[in-house]
Short mmCIF file of all heavy atoms in Angstrom, two decimals:
data_model
loop_
_atom_site.label_atom_id
_atom_site.label_comp_id
_atom_site.label_asym_id
_atom_site.label_seq_id
_atom_site.Cartn_x
_atom_site.Cartn_y
_atom_site.Cartn_z
N MET A 106 108.87 116.02 63.98
CA MET A 106 110.22 116.33 64.40
C MET A 106 111.16 116.31 63.20
O MET A 106 110.96 115.57 62.27
CB MET A 106 110.71 115.30 65.41
CG MET A 106 110.14 115.42 66.79
SD MET A 106 110.70 116.88 67.65
CE MET A 106 109.14 117.69 67.89
N ASN A 107 112.18 117.09 63.28
CA ASN A 107 113.20 117.15 62.24
C ASN A 107 114.29 116.12 62.49
O ASN A 107 114.40 115.56 63.57
CB ASN A 107 113.85 118.54 62.20
CG ASN A 107 112.90 119.60 61.72
OD1 ASN A 107 111.93 119.31 61.05
ND2 ASN A 107 113.18 120.82 62.07
N LEU A 108 115.12 115.91 61.48
CA LEU A 108 116.29 115.06 61.62
C LEU A 108 117.37 115.82 62.38
O LEU A 108 117.45 117.04 62.29
CB LEU A 108 116.81 114.68 60.24
CG LEU A 108 115.86 113.86 59.37
CD1 LEU A 108 116.43 113.71 57.97
CD2 LEU A 108 115.60 112.52 60.00
N PRO A 109 118.25 115.10 63.10
CA PRO A 109 119.33 115.78 63.82
C PRO A 109 120.19 116.66 62.92
O PRO A 109 120.68 117.70 63.34
CB PRO A 109 120.14 114.63 64.41
CG PRO A 109 119.21 113.49 64.45
CD PRO A 109 118.24 113.68 63.33
N SER A 110 120.38 116.25 61.67
CA SER A 110 121.22 117.03 60.76
C SER A 110 120.62 118.39 60.44
O SER A 110 121.32 119.30 60.02
CB SER A 110 121.46 116.25 59.47
OG SER A 110 120.24 116.01 58.81
N GLU A 111 119.32 118.56 60.65
CA GLU A 111 118.65 119.84 60.40
C GLU A 111 118.62 120.73 61.63
O GLU A 111 118.23 121.88 61.56
CB GLU A 111 117.22 119.59 59.92
CG GLU A 111 117.15 118.82 58.62
CD GLU A 111 115.73 118.39 58.27
OE1 GLU A 111 114.83 118.48 59.13
OE2 GLU A 111 115.53 117.95 57.14
N CYS A 112 119.01 120.20 62.77
CA CYS A 112 118.95 120.94 64.03
C CYS A 112 120.14 121.89 64.14
O CYS A 112 121.30 121.47 64.04
CB CYS A 112 118.93 119.97 65.21
SG CYS A 112 118.79 120.79 66.81
N LEU A 113 119.86 123.15 64.37
CA LEU A 113 120.90 124.17 64.45
C LEU A 113 121.63 124.22 65.78
O LEU A 113 122.63 124.92 65.91
CB LEU A 113 120.27 125.55 64.18
CG LEU A 113 119.59 125.72 62.82
CD1 LEU A 113 118.88 127.06 62.76
CD2 LEU A 113 120.59 125.58 61.69
N ILE A 114 121.15 123.49 66.79
CA ILE A 114 121.75 123.63 68.12
C ILE A 114 122.46 122.38 68.61
O ILE A 114 122.79 122.27 69.78
CB ILE A 114 120.70 124.12 69.14
CG1 ILE A 114 119.54 123.15 69.25
CG2 ILE A 114 120.23 125.51 68.80
CD1 ILE A 114 118.57 123.51 70.36
N VAL A 115 122.75 121.43 67.72
CA VAL A 115 123.55 120.28 68.11
C VAL A 115 124.93 120.78 68.51
O VAL A 115 125.52 121.62 67.83
CB VAL A 115 123.64 119.27 66.95
CG1 VAL A 115 124.68 118.20 67.22
CG2 VAL A 115 122.28 118.63 66.69
N GLY A 116 125.45 120.31 69.63
CA GLY A 116 126.77 120.73 70.10
C GLY A 116 126.79 120.84 71.61
O GLY A 116 125.90 120.36 72.31
N THR A 117 127.80 121.50 72.12
CA THR A 117 127.95 121.71 73.56
C THR A 117 127.67 123.17 73.88
O THR A 117 128.22 124.06 73.25
CB THR A 117 129.38 121.34 74.01
OG1 THR A 117 129.61 119.96 73.71
CG2 THR A 117 129.55 121.56 75.51
N TRP A 118 126.82 123.37 74.86
CA TRP A 118 126.39 124.71 75.26
C TRP A 118 126.75 124.94 76.72
O TRP A 118 126.54 124.09 77.57
CB TRP A 118 124.89 124.87 75.07
CG TRP A 118 124.51 124.79 73.65
CD1 TRP A 118 124.27 123.65 72.92
CD2 TRP A 118 124.36 125.87 72.74
NE1 TRP A 118 123.98 123.97 71.63
CE2 TRP A 118 124.02 125.34 71.49
CE3 TRP A 118 124.48 127.24 72.87
CZ2 TRP A 118 123.81 126.13 70.37
CZ3 TRP A 118 124.25 128.04 71.77
CH2 TRP A 118 123.92 127.49 70.54
N ARG A 119 127.27 126.09 77.01
CA ARG A 119 127.62 126.50 78.37
C ARG A 119 126.39 127.11 79.02
O ARG A 119 125.76 128.00 78.45
CB ARG A 119 128.76 127.52 78.30
CG ARG A 119 129.22 128.05 79.61
CD ARG A 119 130.21 127.08 80.24
NE ARG A 119 130.98 127.75 81.27
CZ ARG A 119 130.59 127.83 82.53
NH1 ARG A 119 129.47 127.29 82.91
NH2 ARG A 119 131.33 128.46 83.41
N ILE A 120 126.03 126.64 80.20
CA ILE A 120 124.91 127.22 80.96
C ILE A 120 125.49 128.34 81.81
O ILE A 120 126.34 128.10 82.67
CB ILE A 120 124.22 126.15 81.82
CG1 ILE A 120 123.69 125.02 80.95
CG2 ILE A 120 123.11 126.80 82.65
CD1 ILE A 120 123.20 123.81 81.74
N THR A 121 125.05 129.56 81.57
CA THR A 121 125.61 130.72 82.28
C THR A 121 124.63 131.36 83.24
O THR A 121 125.03 132.14 84.10
CB THR A 121 126.11 131.78 81.29
OG1 THR A 121 125.01 132.20 80.48
CG2 THR A 121 127.22 131.23 80.42
N GLU A 122 123.34 131.08 83.10
CA GLU A 122 122.31 131.67 83.97
C GLU A 122 121.21 130.67 84.23
O GLU A 122 120.92 129.82 83.39
CB GLU A 122 121.65 132.87 83.28
CG GLU A 122 122.47 134.10 83.20
CD GLU A 122 121.65 135.24 82.58
OE1 GLU A 122 120.45 135.36 82.89
OE2 GLU A 122 122.24 135.97 81.78
N ALA A 123 120.59 130.81 85.38
CA ALA A 123 119.40 130.05 85.73
C ALA A 123 118.58 130.88 86.71
O ALA A 123 119.14 131.60 87.53
CB ALA A 123 119.76 128.70 86.34
N ASP A 124 117.29 130.77 86.62
CA ASP A 124 116.42 131.54 87.51
C ASP A 124 116.60 131.17 88.98
O ASP A 124 116.51 132.03 89.85
CB ASP A 124 114.95 131.34 87.14
CG ASP A 124 114.57 132.01 85.83
OD1 ASP A 124 115.33 132.89 85.38
OD2 ASP A 124 113.53 131.65 85.25
N CYS A 125 116.85 129.90 89.26
CA CYS A 125 116.85 129.42 90.64
C CYS A 125 118.23 129.35 91.29
O CYS A 125 118.32 129.19 92.50
CB CYS A 125 116.24 128.02 90.68
SG CYS A 125 114.53 127.98 90.15
N TRP A 126 119.31 129.39 90.50
CA TRP A 126 120.64 129.19 91.06
C TRP A 126 121.59 130.27 90.57
O TRP A 126 121.50 130.75 89.45
CB TRP A 126 121.20 127.83 90.66
CG TRP A 126 120.32 126.72 91.10
CD1 TRP A 126 120.17 126.22 92.36
CD2 TRP A 126 119.44 125.95 90.27
NE1 TRP A 126 119.27 125.19 92.37
CE2 TRP A 126 118.79 125.01 91.09
CE3 TRP A 126 119.13 125.96 88.91
CZ2 TRP A 126 117.88 124.10 90.61
CZ3 TRP A 126 118.21 125.04 88.43
CH2 TRP A 126 117.60 124.13 89.28
N ASP A 127 122.57 130.61 91.41
CA ASP A 127 123.59 131.57 90.99
C ASP A 127 124.72 130.84 90.25
O ASP A 127 124.77 129.61 90.21
CB ASP A 127 124.12 132.38 92.17
CG ASP A 127 124.82 131.53 93.23
OD1 ASP A 127 125.21 130.38 92.95
OD2 ASP A 127 125.00 132.04 94.34
N ARG A 128 125.63 131.61 89.67
CA ARG A 128 126.71 131.05 88.86
C ARG A 128 127.62 130.14 89.68
O ARG A 128 128.10 129.12 89.18
CB ARG A 128 127.51 132.20 88.23
CG ARG A 128 128.60 131.80 87.29
CD ARG A 128 127.99 131.26 86.01
NE ARG A 128 129.00 130.95 85.04
CZ ARG A 128 129.38 131.75 84.07
NH1 ARG A 128 128.85 132.94 83.93
NH2 ARG A 128 130.29 131.37 83.22
N GLU A 129 127.86 130.49 90.93
CA GLU A 129 128.70 129.66 91.79
C GLU A 129 128.13 128.26 91.94
O GLU A 129 128.86 127.26 91.86
CB GLU A 129 128.87 130.31 93.16
CG GLU A 129 129.83 129.58 94.06
CD GLU A 129 130.06 130.29 95.39
OE1 GLU A 129 129.70 131.48 95.51
OE2 GLU A 129 130.58 129.65 96.29
N TYR A 130 126.81 128.16 92.17
CA TYR A 130 126.20 126.83 92.27
C TYR A 130 126.20 126.11 90.92
O TYR A 130 126.49 124.92 90.86
CB TYR A 130 124.77 126.90 92.81
CG TYR A 130 124.15 125.53 92.82
CD1 TYR A 130 124.49 124.61 93.80
CD2 TYR A 130 123.28 125.12 91.81
CE1 TYR A 130 123.98 123.33 93.80
CE2 TYR A 130 122.77 123.83 91.79
CZ TYR A 130 123.11 122.95 92.78
OH TYR A 130 122.62 121.67 92.77
N LEU A 131 125.87 126.80 89.85
CA LEU A 131 125.84 126.17 88.53
C LEU A 131 127.17 125.47 88.22
O LEU A 131 127.19 124.38 87.67
CB LEU A 131 125.52 127.19 87.44
CG LEU A 131 124.10 127.72 87.39
CD1 LEU A 131 123.99 128.82 86.35
CD2 LEU A 131 123.09 126.61 87.11
N ASP A 132 128.28 126.10 88.58
CA ASP A 132 129.61 125.57 88.27
C ASP A 132 130.24 124.82 89.45
O ASP A 132 131.46 124.68 89.52
CB ASP A 132 130.53 126.72 87.86
CG ASP A 132 130.10 127.37 86.55
OD1 ASP A 132 129.39 126.72 85.76
OD2 ASP A 132 130.48 128.53 86.32
N LEU A 133 129.43 124.32 90.36
CA LEU A 133 129.91 123.69 91.59
C LEU A 133 130.93 122.58 91.34
O LEU A 133 131.96 122.51 92.01
CB LEU A 133 128.72 123.12 92.37
CG LEU A 133 129.00 122.54 93.74
CD1 LEU A 133 129.51 123.61 94.70
CD2 LEU A 133 127.74 121.89 94.29
N THR A 134 130.70 121.69 90.39
CA THR A 134 131.60 120.56 90.14
C THR A 134 132.31 120.66 88.79
O THR A 134 132.96 119.72 88.36
CB THR A 134 130.85 119.22 90.22
OG1 THR A 134 129.84 119.21 89.21
CG2 THR A 134 130.24 119.02 91.58
N GLY A 135 132.16 121.78 88.13
CA GLY A 135 132.76 121.99 86.81
C GLY A 135 131.85 122.91 86.02
O GLY A 135 130.75 123.26 86.48
N PRO A 136 132.27 123.31 84.83
CA PRO A 136 131.43 124.21 84.04
C PRO A 136 130.06 123.61 83.75
O PRO A 136 129.96 122.46 83.30
CB PRO A 136 132.24 124.39 82.75
CG PRO A 136 133.64 124.04 83.11
CD PRO A 136 133.53 122.99 84.18
N ALA A 137 129.00 124.36 84.04
CA ALA A 137 127.64 123.91 83.75
C ALA A 137 127.47 123.83 82.24
O ALA A 137 127.90 124.71 81.51
CB ALA A 137 126.63 124.88 84.35
N ARG A 138 126.84 122.73 81.76
CA ARG A 138 126.74 122.55 80.31
C ARG A 138 125.55 121.69 79.90
O ARG A 138 125.03 120.91 80.69
CB ARG A 138 128.02 121.92 79.78
CG ARG A 138 128.19 120.48 80.20
CD ARG A 138 129.59 119.94 79.91
NE ARG A 138 129.71 118.56 80.33
CZ ARG A 138 129.82 118.12 81.57
NH1 ARG A 138 129.81 118.99 82.56
NH2 ARG A 138 129.93 116.85 81.85
N LEU A 139 125.18 121.85 78.66
CA LEU A 139 124.18 121.03 77.99
C LEU A 139 124.84 120.53 76.71
O LEU A 139 125.33 121.33 75.91
CB LEU A 139 122.94 121.86 77.66
CG LEU A 139 121.88 121.20 76.77
CD1 LEU A 139 121.30 119.96 77.44
CD2 LEU A 139 120.80 122.19 76.42
N VAL A 140 124.88 119.22 76.55
CA VAL A 140 125.46 118.61 75.35
C VAL A 140 124.34 117.97 74.56
O VAL A 140 123.57 117.16 75.09
CB VAL A 140 126.53 117.55 75.72
CG1 VAL A 140 127.10 116.91 74.47
CG2 VAL A 140 127.62 118.15 76.58
N ILE A 141 124.23 118.34 73.29
CA ILE A 141 123.20 117.79 72.40
C ILE A 141 123.92 117.07 71.27
O ILE A 141 124.66 117.68 70.50
CB ILE A 141 122.32 118.92 71.81
CG1 ILE A 141 121.72 119.75 72.94
CG2 ILE A 141 121.25 118.34 70.91
CD1 ILE A 141 121.20 121.09 72.50
N ARG A 142 123.75 115.74 71.20
CA ARG A 142 124.43 114.96 70.17
C ARG A 142 123.44 114.58 69.06
O ARG A 142 122.23 114.62 69.25
CB ARG A 142 125.04 113.71 70.79
CG ARG A 142 126.13 114.05 71.80
CD ARG A 142 126.94 112.84 72.20
NE ARG A 142 126.14 111.72 72.66
CZ ARG A 142 126.01 111.36 73.94
NH1 ARG A 142 126.62 112.03 74.89
NH2 ARG A 142 125.27 110.32 74.26
N ARG A 143 123.97 114.18 67.94
CA ARG A 143 123.15 113.80 66.78
C ARG A 143 122.56 112.40 66.90
O ARG A 143 121.74 112.01 66.09
CB ARG A 143 123.98 113.90 65.51
CG ARG A 143 124.37 115.31 65.18
CD ARG A 143 124.99 115.42 63.80
NE ARG A 143 125.52 116.75 63.59
CZ ARG A 143 124.79 117.81 63.26
NH1 ARG A 143 123.49 117.69 63.12
NH2 ARG A 143 125.35 118.99 63.10
N ASP A 144 122.96 111.64 67.91
CA ASP A 144 122.49 110.27 68.04
C ASP A 144 121.22 110.14 68.88
O ASP A 144 120.83 109.04 69.28
CB ASP A 144 123.60 109.38 68.61
CG ASP A 144 124.00 109.75 70.03
OD1 ASP A 144 123.47 110.74 70.58
OD2 ASP A 144 124.87 109.05 70.59
N GLY A 145 120.58 111.27 69.19
CA GLY A 145 119.35 111.23 69.99
C GLY A 145 119.59 111.23 71.49
O GLY A 145 118.67 111.02 72.27
N ARG A 146 120.83 111.46 71.89
CA ARG A 146 121.17 111.49 73.30
C ARG A 146 121.85 112.81 73.64
O ARG A 146 122.22 113.57 72.77
CB ARG A 146 122.13 110.34 73.65
CG ARG A 146 121.61 108.95 73.35
CD ARG A 146 120.50 108.58 74.26
NE ARG A 146 121.01 108.36 75.60
CZ ARG A 146 120.71 107.35 76.35
NH1 ARG A 146 119.88 106.45 75.94
NH2 ARG A 146 121.20 107.24 77.56
N GLY A 147 122.03 113.06 74.92
CA GLY A 147 122.72 114.26 75.36
C GLY A 147 123.04 114.18 76.83
O GLY A 147 122.77 113.16 77.48
N GLU A 148 123.60 115.24 77.36
CA GLU A 148 123.97 115.32 78.76
C GLU A 148 123.63 116.70 79.29
O GLU A 148 123.70 117.69 78.56
CB GLU A 148 125.47 115.09 78.94
CG GLU A 148 125.96 113.78 78.42
CD GLU A 148 127.47 113.74 78.33
OE1 GLU A 148 128.14 114.51 79.05
OE2 GLU A 148 127.98 112.94 77.53
N LEU A 149 123.27 116.74 80.54
CA LEU A 149 122.97 117.99 81.23
C LEU A 149 123.73 117.94 82.55
O LEU A 149 123.62 116.96 83.29
CB LEU A 149 121.47 118.11 81.47
CG LEU A 149 120.94 119.34 82.15
CD1 LEU A 149 121.26 120.59 81.34
CD2 LEU A 149 119.45 119.22 82.35
N ALA A 150 124.54 118.95 82.83
CA ALA A 150 125.31 118.96 84.07
C ALA A 150 125.36 120.37 84.64
O ALA A 150 125.72 121.32 83.94
CB ALA A 150 126.73 118.46 83.82
N PHE A 151 124.98 120.51 85.89
CA PHE A 151 125.11 121.77 86.62
C PHE A 151 124.97 121.47 88.10
O PHE A 151 124.37 120.49 88.49
CB PHE A 151 124.09 122.82 86.17
CG PHE A 151 122.66 122.46 86.46
CD1 PHE A 151 122.08 122.81 87.67
CD2 PHE A 151 121.90 121.79 85.53
CE1 PHE A 151 120.75 122.49 87.95
CE2 PHE A 151 120.58 121.47 85.78
CZ PHE A 151 120.01 121.82 86.99
N GLY A 152 125.57 122.32 88.92
CA GLY A 152 125.51 122.10 90.37
C GLY A 152 126.08 120.73 90.71
O GLY A 152 127.15 120.36 90.24
N ALA A 153 125.34 119.98 91.49
CA ALA A 153 125.75 118.63 91.87
C ALA A 153 125.04 117.57 91.04
O ALA A 153 125.02 116.40 91.40
CB ALA A 153 125.45 118.41 93.36
N MET A 154 124.46 117.95 89.91
CA MET A 154 123.65 117.05 89.10
C MET A 154 124.28 116.80 87.73
O MET A 154 124.76 117.72 87.10
CB MET A 154 122.26 117.67 88.90
CG MET A 154 121.26 116.72 88.36
SD MET A 154 120.56 116.95 86.73
CE MET A 154 120.95 118.49 86.13
N GLN A 155 124.28 115.54 87.33
CA GLN A 155 124.64 115.15 85.98
C GLN A 155 123.57 114.18 85.51
O GLN A 155 123.18 113.29 86.26
CB GLN A 155 125.98 114.43 85.94
CG GLN A 155 127.16 115.35 85.85
CD GLN A 155 128.42 114.57 85.58
OE1 GLN A 155 128.90 113.89 86.48
NE2 GLN A 155 128.94 114.67 84.39
N ALA A 156 123.09 114.36 84.28
CA ALA A 156 122.03 113.50 83.78
C ALA A 156 122.23 113.22 82.30
O ALA A 156 122.77 114.05 81.57
CB ALA A 156 120.67 114.16 83.99
N THR A 157 121.77 112.06 81.88
CA THR A 157 121.70 111.72 80.46
C THR A 157 120.28 112.03 80.00
O THR A 157 119.32 111.82 80.74
CB THR A 157 122.00 110.22 80.25
OG1 THR A 157 123.30 109.94 80.76
CG2 THR A 157 121.94 109.85 78.79
N ILE A 158 120.16 112.56 78.80
CA ILE A 158 118.84 112.91 78.26
C ILE A 158 118.63 112.24 76.91
O ILE A 158 119.58 111.98 76.18
CB ILE A 158 118.65 114.43 78.14
CG1 ILE A 158 119.75 115.07 77.28
CG2 ILE A 158 118.59 115.08 79.51
CD1 ILE A 158 119.55 116.56 77.01
N ASP A 159 117.38 111.91 76.60
CA ASP A 159 116.96 111.50 75.26
C ASP A 159 116.44 112.74 74.57
O ASP A 159 115.64 113.47 75.15
CB ASP A 159 115.87 110.44 75.31
CG ASP A 159 116.40 109.05 75.62
OD1 ASP A 159 117.61 108.81 75.40
OD2 ASP A 159 115.62 108.21 76.07
N VAL A 160 116.85 112.96 73.32
CA VAL A 160 116.57 114.21 72.62
C VAL A 160 115.70 113.97 71.39
O VAL A 160 115.90 113.01 70.65
CB VAL A 160 117.90 114.88 72.17
CG1 VAL A 160 117.64 116.17 71.43
CG2 VAL A 160 118.81 115.12 73.36
N GLU A 161 114.72 114.85 71.19
CA GLU A 161 113.98 114.96 69.93
C GLU A 161 114.29 116.34 69.38
O GLU A 161 114.41 117.30 70.14
CB GLU A 161 112.48 114.80 70.16
CG GLU A 161 112.10 113.40 70.59
CD GLU A 161 110.59 113.24 70.68
OE1 GLU A 161 109.86 114.00 70.02
OE2 GLU A 161 110.16 112.35 71.41
N TYR A 162 114.42 116.44 68.07
CA TYR A 162 114.95 117.64 67.46
C TYR A 162 113.90 118.44 66.71
O TYR A 162 113.12 117.88 65.95
CB TYR A 162 116.04 117.27 66.45
CG TYR A 162 117.14 116.43 67.03
CD1 TYR A 162 117.04 115.05 67.06
CD2 TYR A 162 118.26 117.03 67.57
CE1 TYR A 162 118.05 114.29 67.60
CE2 TYR A 162 119.27 116.27 68.12
CZ TYR A 162 119.16 114.89 68.13
OH TYR A 162 120.15 114.14 68.68
N GLY A 163 113.91 119.75 66.90
CA GLY A 163 113.28 120.71 66.03
C GLY A 163 114.40 121.43 65.31
O GLY A 163 115.57 121.14 65.53
N ARG A 164 114.10 122.35 64.43
CA ARG A 164 115.18 123.05 63.72
C ARG A 164 115.98 123.95 64.67
O ARG A 164 117.19 123.98 64.63
CB ARG A 164 114.60 123.87 62.58
CG ARG A 164 115.67 124.60 61.79
CD ARG A 164 115.14 125.09 60.45
NE ARG A 164 116.02 126.03 59.82
CZ ARG A 164 117.21 125.75 59.28
NH1 ARG A 164 117.66 124.53 59.33
NH2 ARG A 164 117.93 126.68 58.71
N SER A 165 115.29 124.68 65.54
CA SER A 165 115.98 125.61 66.44
C SER A 165 115.63 125.37 67.90
O SER A 165 115.78 126.25 68.74
CB SER A 165 115.65 127.05 66.04
OG SER A 165 114.27 127.27 66.14
N MET A 166 115.14 124.17 68.22
CA MET A 166 114.84 123.81 69.61
C MET A 166 114.93 122.30 69.74
O MET A 166 114.91 121.59 68.75
CB MET A 166 113.47 124.31 70.03
CG MET A 166 112.32 123.60 69.35
SD MET A 166 110.69 124.09 69.94
CE MET A 166 110.62 125.78 69.45
N ILE A 167 115.06 121.84 70.97
CA ILE A 167 115.02 120.43 71.24
C ILE A 167 113.99 120.15 72.33
O ILE A 167 113.59 121.05 73.06
CB ILE A 167 116.39 119.87 71.70
CG1 ILE A 167 116.84 120.54 73.00
CG2 ILE A 167 117.43 119.99 70.59
CD1 ILE A 167 117.94 119.81 73.72
N TYR A 168 113.59 118.92 72.41
CA TYR A 168 112.74 118.43 73.49
C TYR A 168 113.52 117.27 74.10
O TYR A 168 114.16 116.51 73.39
CB TYR A 168 111.41 117.92 72.95
CG TYR A 168 110.68 118.96 72.15
CD1 TYR A 168 110.84 119.03 70.77
CD2 TYR A 168 109.84 119.87 72.77
CE1 TYR A 168 110.18 119.99 70.02
CE2 TYR A 168 109.17 120.84 72.02
CZ TYR A 168 109.35 120.87 70.65
OH TYR A 168 108.71 121.83 69.93
N TYR A 169 113.49 117.15 75.43
CA TYR A 169 114.23 116.05 76.02
C TYR A 169 113.49 115.50 77.24
O TYR A 169 112.64 116.14 77.82
CB TYR A 169 115.65 116.46 76.40
CG TYR A 169 115.75 117.51 77.48
CD1 TYR A 169 115.78 117.16 78.82
CD2 TYR A 169 115.84 118.87 77.16
CE1 TYR A 169 115.88 118.12 79.81
CE2 TYR A 169 115.95 119.82 78.14
CZ TYR A 169 115.98 119.45 79.46
OH TYR A 169 116.08 120.40 80.43
N ILE A 170 113.85 114.26 77.55
CA ILE A 170 113.38 113.61 78.77
C ILE A 170 114.58 113.06 79.50
O ILE A 170 115.61 112.74 78.89
CB ILE A 170 112.35 112.49 78.49
CG1 ILE A 170 112.96 111.41 77.58
CG2 ILE A 170 111.08 113.05 77.89
CD1 ILE A 170 112.09 110.18 77.45
N TRP A 171 114.47 112.98 80.81
CA TRP A 171 115.54 112.41 81.64
C TRP A 171 115.57 110.91 81.40
O TRP A 171 114.55 110.27 81.26
CB TRP A 171 115.29 112.64 83.12
CG TRP A 171 115.08 114.05 83.48
CD1 TRP A 171 113.89 114.67 83.67
CD2 TRP A 171 116.08 115.04 83.72
NE1 TRP A 171 114.08 115.98 84.01
CE2 TRP A 171 115.44 116.24 84.05
CE3 TRP A 171 117.47 115.02 83.68
CZ2 TRP A 171 116.11 117.39 84.35
CZ3 TRP A 171 118.15 116.17 83.97
CH2 TRP A 171 117.48 117.34 84.30
N VAL A 172 116.77 110.35 81.42
CA VAL A 172 116.92 108.90 81.26
C VAL A 172 117.34 108.29 82.57
O VAL A 172 118.06 108.85 83.32
CB VAL A 172 117.97 108.58 80.17
CG1 VAL A 172 118.13 107.09 80.01
CG2 VAL A 172 117.56 109.21 78.87
#
C-alpha cells in the first residue's frame, strides 16, 4: 500500500450514480458523498445510510472496510 500523501483521490467525492439506486434515493438525506481522509479514515453517506470506513491507500484507488 502507498502512503496517504501519494494517493490522488484523498478528498470529498460526490456520488452521482449507482447501479441499484436512483439519484432521488442517493440524495435522500443530503448530497450522497464519499470522504477519504489522510488519517486512514473516511465516511460514506447515501440514501438513509451513513458509515465510517477504515481506508488503505493505493495511488489511484482505495480499499476500505466498514467500521
Side-chain angles (χ1 to χ4, degrees):
M106 285 292 118
N107 291 338
L108 298 172
S110 61
E111 298 171 348
C112 183
L113 300 173
I114 59 173
V115 168
T117 300
W118 295 85
R119 179 83 161 89
I120 301 170
T121 59
E122 287 184 39
D124 289 342
C125 298
W126 302 285
D127 63 17
R128 184 71 176 264
E129 185 176 345
Y130 176 77
L131 288 174
D132 294 338
L133 185 64
T134 61
R138 70 192 180 285
L139 171 63
V140 179
I141 304 162
R142 296 192 307 256
R143 294 189 188 281
D144 65 357
R146 301 291 289 226
E148 301 167 24
L149 181 61
F151 65 89
M154 193 246 348
Q155 274 189 288
T157 301
I158 56 175
D159 282 338
V160 179
E161 293 185 23
Y162 305 88
R164 181 164 167 71
S165 60
M166 69 175 65
I167 62 164
Y168 304 93
Y169 65 87
I170 59 171
W171 304 98
V172 179

